[in-house]
Amino acid sequence: MSDDPHYQATEEAHTGPIKNPKQLLLAVFFSFIAPILIIVGLVSFVVSGTHPSGSAQGDSMSLYGVSKDTRDRDIADRLKKVGSIEIRDANRPLATGEAVFKAQCVACHGAPGIPGAPHYGDAAAWGPRIGQGYATLVEHALKGKGAMPAQGGGDFDDIEIGRAVVYMANAGGATFPVPDRPAAAAEGAAPADAAPAVASGK
């Protein structure tokens, strides 16, 4: 029966590609052992210290362009409390309009400034704004308007922001008096929130 050619052809059709033990060992090696060796090699490369990694450490050297001082400051900023209280001396002398302008306003309203903002000394740009009145200009400065962010609540009091508004508006043709604290208003100066009506110098 085994000499039948039809039987031999059928038996060969049902056998796999592995015909001897050597072929079996090669198939096992390439199917299981080679992938394991590749994984072990990759793991040893990742945990070795012979290549740059994202967890590099250094005390005084700058890592990736960021110094240790910058990293420490950024961490402190992220960890600080959300709210804070600042105590200011209410009796300190008020900053002049020019000082506030140079510290807070010159970037946008100075030369060259930004487009759309009325620049210092530009009477044509300040004319329509001066017509709105002092109180409106101060409100826009404190609360912001359009592309201009609010200037109130920063390093300067609202009266000092008003002084900067007067400084810029007067340079553009206005005649607003310089505002002072309400306590000084009782002695003859105009209050900060009143619309000035008397001409004064720059």
Side-chain angles (χ1 to χ4, degrees):
M1 184 173 207
S2 61
D3 293 336
D4 183 12
H6 177 69
Y7 174 78
Q8 288 178 352
T10 305
E11 186 178 347
E12 287 178 4
H14 290 287
T15 59
I18 299 173
K19 300 198 184 307
N20 57 41
K22 183 179 178 184
Q23 290 177 341
L24 178 64
L25 287 175
L26 287 174
V28 168
F29 178 78
F30 286 112
S31 299
F32 299 105
I33 298 175
I36 290 173
L37 292 176
I38 291 171
I39 292 171
V40 168
L42 288 174
V43 169
S44 66
F45 173 74
V46 169
V47 298
S48 70
T50 59
H51 60 89
S53 68
S55 61
Q57 299 293 326
D59 291 332
S60 61
M61 58 184 271
S62 177
L63 298 176
Y64 308 111
V66 180
S67 67
K68 184 177 186 315
D69 292 337
T70 303
R71 288 194 316 271
D72 292 343
R73 186 182 67 244
D74 290 344
I75 290 171
D77 285 343
R78 288 194 297 272
L79 295 177
K80 73 179 180 182
K81 294 179 180 177
V82 175
S84 62
I85 297 173
E86 182 179 352
I87 299 173
R88 295 183 182 175
D89 182 9
N91 297 320
R92 68 176 172 81
L94 290 175
T96 64
E98 181 180 6
V100 176
F101 170 78
K102 288 180 179 177
Q104 194 159 328
C105 309
V106 72
C108 298
H109 294 284
I114 62 170
H119 299 141
Y120 180 79
D122 185 356
W126 277 102
R129 291 169 173 87
I130 293 170
Q132 296 174 352
Y134 170 78
T136 302
L137 290 176
V138 170
E139 181 180 355
H140 292 169
L142 293 175
K143 297 179 180 176
K145 181 179 181 193
M148 184 178 79
Q151 301 299 313
D155 294 334
F156 298 104
D157 292 340
D158 291 355
I159 294 173
E160 293 170 322
I161 299 296
R163 286 179 158 213
V165 169
V166 168
Y167 176 75
M168 289 185 286
N170 286 353
T175 55
F176 297 145
V178 177
D180 206 347
R181 287 192 174 100
E187 299 172 5
D193 56 353
V198 182
S200 71
K202 296 178 189 178

